[in-house]
Amino acid sequence: MTISTRIRVVVYNRSPRAELHRTLVSLACQDIGAARLDICLASARATTLRDQGTKRLLDALALSRIEAADSSGLSMAQAVNSAASGNAGHLAFVPAGTRLHPQFLSRLLGALDRTPEASAAYSGHTAGNAEGLAFVRTRPFRQEMLTRRNPVGPAALITGAAWQKLGGLRPGLWHFWWDLWLRLALGGSSIVQVPELLASCPPVQRLGKAEDGAAKALLVTHTPGAFEPDVCRWAMAHLRGDSWAGPFERGRIPGPRDVLGMWAGFSPAIAPGSEAWGSHLRRTA
């Protein structure tokens, strides 16, 4: 495992002070040593480290390299981009309120070292699956998953070189994290999964059904070449408001067969764990 490079840790999202403190404690307990970490707090609202409780905690944890980015007037994606600026060898993104296993960073760094073609890594987490349900055992990661859903957890690690090459997050999208991992895969890099549960993350905020549909359609139209022609057709029709192009399941982009089913007037299939599962609706072949 690489032991010399510094890691820029971006703690993002607004959370109560006590939850932020739990995240800082878990960062101080990383087995690679807190001295390697440059921590920056990113929030679309003002964040301060000047209150007495936080100052005493930082002194006790020996977190000497920590700052709060000036994010006033910025969107969350812009705030993260601002906090991630610099020349760190690796960047870790951790939502505030997350509790990390002491080996979270070392395990992800080790996974990157063992996979030379990989530029990012993530682990099992509790933030929920694509439908917003509680943590379930996830299937092994495959790059093609990214054209249907975002399996990458909210706590993840990326090399500084890959982050610079991608230009950070694209603020014009709701699913800016999903877009980042999709662009990374399209650029020829791979993402490695550490399947063990190493990050206890707060639930990801779910969009309303209409907002989710528009967010996925924008992701498709902003990523040329990643999706099949029928899926692009669905995305453009959905953004136009065509009645046949529904939002599909939350957190999932329809595949070509799903789009053809919509066009033909059939409802999407009900999968185990989906919103309609268990609602007494039935589908036959």
Side-chain angles (χ1 to χ4, degrees), residues 183-255:
R183 287 188 289 127
L184 180 70
L186 285 175
S189 296
S190 64
I191 302 169
V192 62
Q193 175 194 38
V194 177
E196 289 80 13
L197 181 60
L198 301 179
S200 177
C201 305
V204 175
Q205 184 178 3
R206 299 180 71 194
L207 297 173
K209 194 163 188 176
E211 291 177 326
D212 178 70
K216 294 179 300 188
L218 281 171
L219 177 64
V220 172
T221 58
H222 279 71
T223 317
F227 299 93
E228 301 88 346
D230 279 332
V231 178
C232 296
R233 173 190 176 206
W234 162 81
M236 292 185 288
H238 184 79
L239 293 175
R240 285 196 305 265
D242 291 2
S243 59
W244 69 269
F248 201 61
E249 292 284 343
R250 276 191 178 95
R252 292 182 181 270
I253 292 173

Side-chain angles (χ1 to χ4, degrees), residues 252-265:
R252 292 182 181 270
I253 292 173
R257 293 183 64 181
D258 301 309
V259 174
L260 293 176
M262 290 183 195
W263 177 252

